[in-house]
Amino acid sequence: MKRFFSISKMCMVALVCVMFFGIGMNVKAAAPNKVTGLQQMLQPDEYYEPTSIALSWKAPGGDVSRYRVEYCEDGKFTPGKVGGGYTSYTSLLLDKFNLGKSYYFRVAAEDNAGNLGEYSDVVEMVTCPAGSPTSLKQTKAEAKAVTFSWKKVSGATTYVVQYGKAGTNPNNYKIKDIGNKTSYKISASANSKYTVNVYAVRKSKGGFLAFNYAYKSQTMKTLPSKVSKVKMLLSGDGSRPAAACAYFTWKESSAADGYECIFYGNNKKKLFSKDVKSLGSTPYGYGVKIANSKLKSTQFMKIKVRAYVKVNGKKKPGPWSDDVWFAKTPNIKSDKNVNNGIKLTWSKTAGAKDYTISVSKSKNSGYKKVATTKKNTYRITSFRGSKISPGNTYYIKVVANKKVGKKTFTSDKLRLISVYVYRTYR
């Protein structure tokens, strides 16, 4: 026990001596704290260079005179393979990097005595790819979707797709980071055109996107909707209803590159087809002239229309319109025997259920139906309660009617003949 107390006394004396002699000694100051918040940041527009990297970090506090910034390409910071230098600021813009590359940075704070603190965590920073996407093209058109593709860009780790309806404000376009794939499908409105922009981007592990702003752009289209409101404007040319042509119109599609039209005879056999690029102004309204010797004046015929878009030079059509039956005006003849009224005869129209006769004393208005008949002849003896009288001109229309299901189709309603009833003397 005595020996134990002796050893304890000796230890206490030694500790007191150390404490005593330590007073007044120069103690080396602690190095600055570890730098935090290191990140890549967007470059100011006025200083933007694709070969530059902008970075910033948080000041660790305390005695800091400057910062040591280091970078390398492999993240190992092997001596001889490290670049960098010093700065007194907490942000920096460095230039002369290679495009489409990743670089690894770290930063440490140094005090006035030259003590270097612990380095920050290593952060990957990136430059934009050297090129932009090439061979951007639409590969598929659907009713409410568009698919497109492009070639891979060296140095790109992801691609950003920007898209919106053509003609709208680009600030309202949707933006998608789609990863490292070279094709994409967007949901879209039916019957529409879209502007699609594709950017090549290098993305860091921290999520920073280095854009190559030389994007590729292409207009793309969804499949056209079903064509509606198909109708015949007029049969024939001018005063020649039997001419082998007719004028048609329908509701146009804003996305269509053209229209396919198919014509059938009364026997439902195909007569011919016609490709129409677009509708335009005609003497009879907004539409298109179809000329073909197979457009006969003696039968009901059928037309159906569908719009199409072109994808890589190939037609991609939308759905067909409903069937629309049409016919030219029957060829009408009349006599002017005032004593017995006006006798009409006309050519039969194959497929017609019956014929409607309308009369007016004014060419452009006031037509009143006077009869419907299954025959191809009729005698008009009165109009609006009065007998047909000499010295008057009567305007007459004969319209052929075809019943299909619950719908009735008619021949040209614009065609007419005028009959002047002469006075007779005995």
Side-chain angles (χ1 to χ4, degrees):
M1 182 67 70
K2 289 183 179 179
R3 184 179 179 186
F4 172 78
F5 279 112
S6 299
I7 294 173
S8 298
K9 287 180 181 179
M10 292 175 63
C11 290
M12 289 293 294
V13 171
L15 178 61
V16 170
C17 290
V18 169
M19 292 179 63
F20 176 80
F21 288 109
I23 297 173
M25 292 176 62
N26 291 327
V27 178
K28 185 177 181 180
N33 293 331
K34 179 181 178 179
V35 170
T36 61
L38 177 61
Q39 63 177 350
Q40 186 171 1
M41 60 182 185
L42 291 174
Q43 299 180 37
D45 290 342
E46 61 268 31
Y47 301 121
Y48 176 78
E49 287 290 342
T51 56
S52 297
I53 291 177
L55 60 152
S56 66
W57 55 91
K58 293 180 180 179
D63 177 21
V64 176
S65 63
R66 61 180 183 174
Y67 298 93
R68 172 69 183 173
V69 179
E70 294 183 349
Y71 63 86
C72 64
E73 292 188 35
D74 58 6
K76 297 179 180 179
F77 294 91
T78 304
K81 295 183 179 180
V82 177
Y86 288 92
T87 179
S88 57
Y89 301 100
T90 56
S91 62
L92 192 61
L93 179 64
L94 297 174
D95 197 7
K96 307 302 181 184
F97 293 99
N98 293 322
L99 293 175
K101 294 288 185 180
S102 291
Y103 294 87
Y104 298 87
F105 282 76
R106 65 182 185 181
V107 178
E110 186 179 287
D111 62 17
N112 288 313
N115 298 314
L116 191 65
E118 183 181 355
Y119 278 100
S120 66
D121 293 339
V122 176
V123 175
E124 179 194 16
M125 301 189 188
V126 291
T127 56
C128 72
S132 58
T134 58
S135 301
L136 175 61
K137 61 183 179 181
Q138 184 174 354
T139 56
K140 189 176 182 180
E142 299 177 60
K144 292 187 176 181
V146 166
T147 304
F148 46 94
S149 67
W150 58 92
K151 288 186 177 180
K152 188 174 183 179
V153 178
S154 177
T157 58
T158 190
Y159 299 89
V160 171
V161 173
Q162 180 189 39
Y163 64 95
K165 281 191 175 182
T168 61
N169 188 342
N171 291 330
N172 297 327
Y173 284 6
K174 292 183 178 179
I175 299 176
K176 300 287 186 180
D177 177 0
I178 66 166
N180 195 27
K181 49 190 174 184
T182 55
S183 66
Y184 194 63
K185 178 179 180 178
I186 61 172
S187 297
S189 300
N191 205 42
S192 301
K193 292 181 181 179
Y194 279 77
T195 298
V196 174
N197 304 323
V198 181
Y199 296 82
V201 182
R202 191 169 184 88
K203 185 176 183 178
S204 72
K205 291 181 177 65
F208 183 86
L209 300 175
F211 280 75
N212 184 320
Y213 289 102
Y215 62 87
K216 289 298 180 184
S217 182
Q218 186 71 262
T219 299
M220 301 181 189
K221 306 165 186 177
T222 53
L223 285 183
S225 301
K226 181 179 178 179
V227 175
S228 62
K229 298 183 179 180
V230 180
K231 67 177 182 179
M232 182 175 67
L233 291 172
L234 193 77
S235 63
D237 265 336
S239 61
R240 301 186 300 124
C245 69
Y247 294 82
F248 293 89
T249 189
W250 52 78
K251 186 178 180 180
E252 280 203 287
S253 164
S254 60
D257 290 318
Y259 302 86
E260 294 176 346
C261 307
I262 298 183
F263 293 83
Y264 300 84
N266 184 61
N267 59 4
K268 298 183 181 180
K269 289 185 178 180
K270 181 179 175 180
L271 296 174
F272 65 94
S273 59
K274 182 77 173 179
D275 196 300
V276 175
K277 296 303 180 186
S278 63
L279 302 185
S281 180
T282 75
Y284 312 107
Y286 193 73
V288 64
K289 177 181 177 180
I290 304 292
N292 193 287
S293 61
K294 294 181 180 179
L295 288 172
K296 303 297 185 182
S297 59
T298 57
Q299 63 175 305
F300 265 95
M301 294 164 282
K302 183 175 72 174
I303 179 177
K304 63 179 182 180
V305 182
R306 67 180 179 182
Y308 64 82
V309 294
K310 285 188 174 181
V311 177
N312 294 325
K314 295 181 179 180
K315 289 182 181 178
K316 301 295 180 182
W320 286 106
S321 68
D322 293 335
D323 293 342
V324 174
W325 290 89
F326 68 95
K328 293 176 176 289
T329 302
N331 186 19
I332 311 167
K333 294 181 181 180
S334 69
D335 67 9
K336 309 171 185 64
N337 188 339
V338 70
N339 294 321
N340 298 316
I342 302 171
K343 183 181 179 181
L344 301 173
T345 59
W346 55 85
S347 57
K348 288 185 176 182
T349 302
K353 173 179 175 286
D354 51 34
Y355 304 88
T356 300
I357 300 100
S358 301
V359 182
S360 177
K361 284 188 175 181
S362 172
K363 181 178 180 180
N364 297 318
S365 63
Y367 286 87
K368 179 177 176 61
K369 184 177 77 171
V370 297
T372 297
T373 178
K374 293 181 180 296
K375 299 179 180 180
N376 66 321
T377 182
Y378 187 79
R379 186 181 296 278
I380 304 172
T381 58
S382 64
F383 174 63
R384 293 190 181 276
S386 301
K387 289 185 177 181
I388 297 297
S389 56
N392 290 302
T393 298
Y394 295 88
Y395 297 92
I396 302 168
K397 293 182 178 182
V398 176
V399 175
N401 306 305
K402 181 179 179 67
K403 189 76 176 292
V404 180
K406 295 182 179 181
K407 192 167 185 178
T408 298
F409 297 93
T410 62
S411 64
D412 190 350
K413 290 183 176 181
L414 297 180
R415 296 293 183 184
L416 57 91
I417 63 168
S418 62
V419 178
Y420 178 75
V421 181
Y422 292 92
R423 294 181 184 277
T424 58
Y425 299 90
R426 297 188 181 184

